[in-house]
Amino acid sequence: MRARAFLALSLLAAACIVLDAHAATDTAATPGATAPEAATVLTARRIHTEDPAQPQVTAIAWDAQGRILATGEARRLRARYPAARHVDAGDATVVPGLIDAHAHLMELGYALLRADLSGAAGKDEVLQRLRAFAASAPEGAWIEGWGWDQNRWPEQAFPTAADLDAVFPDRPVWLLRIDGHAGWANSAALRAAAAEGARALEGDWQPDGGRIVREGGRPTGVFVDAAMRLVERAMPARSEAYRAEALSRALAAAVANGLTGVHDMGVSREDLALMRRFADEGRLPLRIDAYADGDREALADLCEHGLYRHPAGRLEMRGVKLFMDGALGSRGAALLADYSDEPGNRGLLVTDPAAFGAAVVKARDCGVQVATHAIGDRGNRIVLDTYEHALAGQGAPPDHRWRVEHAQVVAPEDIPRFARLRLVASMQPTHATSDMPWAEARLGHDRLAGAYAWRRFLDLGVTLALGSDFPVEQVDPRLGLHAAVTRQDRAGQPPGGWLPGQRLTAAEALRGFTVDAARAGHDEARVGRLAPGLRADLVVLDRDPLAVPAAELDDLKVRATWVDGQPVHTAD
């Protein structure tokens, strides 16, 4: 059966029509049968629809445009559509297409084109990977990398420019931290920044919303949040071909991991134009809900021209992503009290609260959905206060579905406000399992009560949309399912799970990546379930995510990914 399933899927991937002779013979004379020539019937051992009317079936039928016609028992649907092409997925399990509710496609593409530093156990390993990358990089180009994390290193301290100068004394090097909220430069990059006209880096000056890490008044080479722009503006502009290659690689990686939709948080006017070109050319293999990059040109376009949706239905922009604070790993998340492991530091507000409030009201009055990055308890409280004030004003839509992105550390008394304000908590399960080795050191024990608190939100009836924040985490949603259900890393640590009271069931986790992710983007009338009238976006898995042991969720195999009733990825 498994070989038959792979054969059928592979033939469809090659744009061949698979017809089932038994269906044509056995059901052609069925009284009352309908037989649209272009219909497709897919059968599988088990199909989870997320549709309360028929939660589990063995067949699904859709038309030539990828609109679902019916779901039900395999024999009945094959009789109902006797002339349809038939795809037999054999013993596989089919689920609705998985939607990552918070991610960054262009940054993923850029990360795939940079030196991969993720998981490096120390600075020596970082330098080893950089040497290998530089050997094939264009001569004279900046050496760019992504993914370093000082929390994995024995000393757990920020690195310095001198660490890089030992290997790259003259060639500029710029390395982004795993969370994208800090960068590490060598001295050549610092000289380039100074030549570009950056304010004197020595002394005690700090940019608004950022921090230059210093020793003795001199920059060490690490720049946090808004300070990163001092270096990045000295870098050569990316060519259109480079940007297109980055998007192409990111899209391929996404569908290979079972994603049929991505909520892309922070898309510029230029990046939307690139995505629009891909959509025009039929090169978008999944759906992108693009959120404008703050109070800038893309939001101005939405306010002037209205919400955007591409005619092909795979690209839209109807929301804006704003920022409140930084990240916990780089001690930039805004806290109500000091960091437990750095007294005197309460993090950063990367946006002035007054400017943030003005942007929220502007989006509200333009009919644009608001989504805001907030990680620390102070950052979350400011967002909640601002939302509450704006939603009490005239023009607030009743079904606004405003979002808080990450909601990572929330004061317990503030969690009920998410339900009262009818907000979406957009959270990333793998953040918890990545952060758990050091989160208590940052926060202390008491603040963990409102940290990564998925169960608290869900039990209050808050829509819990799940994602990964890739490339901060891996693009694979199976890792998110595993983290949500186990609260453990892939080695099964810690025993019983970290803060296990906040675990989700497998069904709740799957819903977070399907139904509730779709609802967070106002897309539930099109995707998120397998039901008549919706799009045939689905994933074929080798096993049932609702039946396998929780520890095996990260090892499910994606056999195929389908969007609009067509395969956009098939496994070898």
Side-chain angles (χ1 to χ4, degrees):
M1 292 291 286
R2 181 168 297 183
R4 184 182 178 192
F6 274 109
L7 176 61
L9 294 169
S10 299
L11 288 173
L12 266 176
C16 295
I17 295 178
V18 179
L19 296 174
D20 187 340
H22 294 292
T25 301
D26 295 344
T27 64
T30 302
T34 59
E37 295 295 332
T40 297
V41 174
L42 181 145
T43 58
R45 179 179 181 180
R46 187 177 293 109
I47 300 174
H48 294 297
T49 68
E50 295 291 342
D51 178 12
Q54 286 200 94
Q56 185 174 310
V57 298
T58 55
I60 179 172
W62 60 81
D63 63 18
Q65 288 72 47
R67 181 178 60 87
I68 296 174
L69 299 169
T71 63
E73 193 268 329
R75 180 179 57 83
R76 293 182 181 276
L77 258 63
R78 289 170 64 182
R80 183 174 175 182
Y81 303 103
R85 62 180 181 176
H86 176 220
V87 180
D88 180 14
D91 63 350
T93 295
V94 174
V95 298
L98 300 175
I99 302 166
D100 192 312
H102 184 114
H104 308 277
L105 281 166
M106 293 303 299
E107 289 303 324
L108 173 61
Y110 295 144
L112 294 172
L113 294 169
R114 296 169 177 148
D116 181 7
L117 309 177
S118 59
K123 288 181 282 191
D124 288 344
E125 186 175 349
V126 168
L127 294 174
Q128 180 182 356
R129 295 191 196 183
L130 290 175
R131 285 191 192 97
F133 179 81
S136 59
E139 185 175 354
W142 283 54
I143 300 299
E144 295 186 66
W146 170 278
W148 62 271
D149 183 359
Q150 84 283 0
N151 293 312
R152 290 179 170 270
W153 304 345
E155 64 275 23
Q156 294 192 347
F158 274 149
T160 67
D163 297 319
L164 297 173
D165 293 344
V167 178
F168 301 99
D170 302 313
R171 193 170 183 179
V173 179
W174 179 241
L175 311 174
L176 293 178
R177 192 182 181 278
I178 186 65
D179 57 11
H181 285 264
W184 172 19
N186 69 344
S187 294
L190 295 179
R191 291 192 294 269
E196 190 65 22
R199 285 188 57 170
L201 297 181
E202 298 184 4
D204 58 3
W205 173 79
Q206 294 288 359
D208 292 337
R211 179 164 62 101
I212 304 169
V213 180
R214 303 179 187 276
E215 288 183 3
R218 298 175 61 87
T220 65
V222 172
F223 296 76
V224 181
D225 286 309
M228 297 163 63
R229 290 195 289 270
L230 298 172
V231 177
E232 290 174 338
R233 68 185 184 183
M235 300 175 68
R238 297 185 178 96
S239 69
E240 188 71 8
Y242 183 89
R243 295 174 61 249
E245 177 65 16
L247 179 57
S248 180
R249 292 194 185 198
L251 293 169
V255 295
N257 282 282
L259 290 176
T260 62
V262 169
H263 296 183
D264 198 338
M265 290 291 162
V267 176
S268 67
R269 172 190 281 172
E270 293 75 18
D271 287 345
L272 182 64
L274 176 62
M275 294 172 182
R276 186 172 182 171
R277 176 161 68 86
F278 270 53
D280 290 342
E281 297 169 357
R283 297 171 61 192
L284 281 187
L286 50 65
R287 303 185 196 281
I288 301 175
D289 280 20
Y291 284 71
D293 60 338
D295 190 4
R296 302 177 63 199
E297 295 89 351
L299 177 59
D301 291 343
L302 294 178
C303 288
E304 182 177 355
H305 305 295
L307 308 183
Y308 171 75
R309 176 176 288 176
H310 190 274
R314 294 194 184 180
L315 176 64
E316 65 178 37
M317 180 181 279
R318 57 176 300 146
V320 60
K321 190 273 187 83
L322 304 173
F323 270 95
M324 178 44 59
D325 62 351
L328 196 65
S330 49
R331 297 186 182 88
L335 301 181
L336 294 168
D338 292 357
Y339 276 84
S340 296
D341 57 358
E342 191 174 308
N345 180 13
R346 295 192 175 186
L348 295 167
L349 296 179
V350 300
T351 306
D352 175 75
F356 172 69
V360 169
V361 170
K362 176 180 178 179
R364 179 201 68 189
D365 293 345
C366 294
V368 173
Q369 182 189 24
V370 181
T372 305
H373 165 115
I375 289 185
D377 50 12
R378 183 185 176 209
N380 275 281
R381 180 165 293 176
I382 292 172
V383 170
L384 292 170
D385 289 346
T386 306
Y387 279 7
E388 186 165 19
H389 176 75
L391 290 171
Q394 293 184 349
D399 190 23
H400 54 81
R401 305 187 200 181
W402 285 5
R403 305 166 52 142
V404 179
E405 303 302 313
H406 310 306
Q408 201 160 297
V409 183
V410 183
E413 61 270 25
D414 283 338
I415 294 177
R417 299 177 67 188
F418 281 74
R420 190 164 67 249
L421 295 172
R422 304 189 309 282
L423 304 180
V424 173
S426 172
M427 305 179 77
Q428 299 74 45
T430 46
H431 279 344
T433 50
S434 292
D435 297 357
M436 63 186 180
W438 46 262
E440 186 166 356
R442 293 281 194 278
L443 300 170
H445 179 75
D446 291 345
R447 279 185 287 200
L448 291 180
Y452 315 88
W454 317 320
R455 170 59 56 195
R456 292 181 186 272
F457 286 101
L458 201 60
D459 286 350
L460 288 170
V462 177
T463 297
L464 187 61
L466 300 182
S468 68
D469 199 15
F470 69 69
V472 174
E473 304 285 352
Q474 294 185 51
V475 67
D476 190 345
R478 292 163 293 184
L479 303 182
L481 294 173
H482 177 270
V485 178
T486 67
R487 305 275 295 201
Q488 295 174 318
D489 63 21
R490 299 188 74 184
Q493 297 298 319
W498 182 62
L499 305 176
Q502 297 306 310
R503 285 184 301 212
L504 304 179
T505 67
E508 290 166 341
L510 181 62
R511 182 180 176 90
F513 279 101
T514 55
V515 175
D516 287 341
R519 187 178 187 280
H522 291 270
D523 295 326
E524 71 274 16
R526 296 191 301 147
V527 296
R529 296 173 294 128
L530 299 175
L534 275 63
R535 309 306 301 175
D537 293 3
L538 55 93
V539 183
V540 183
L541 301 170
D542 68 329
R543 286 167 291 159
D544 185 351
L546 303 188
V548 300
E552 297 179 15
L553 284 166
D554 59 334
D555 196 39
L556 296 169
K557 300 298 187 295
V558 175
R559 292 186 179 178
T561 307
W562 295 64
V563 175
D564 285 326
Q566 296 295 327
V568 294
H569 167 78
T570 55
D572 292 333

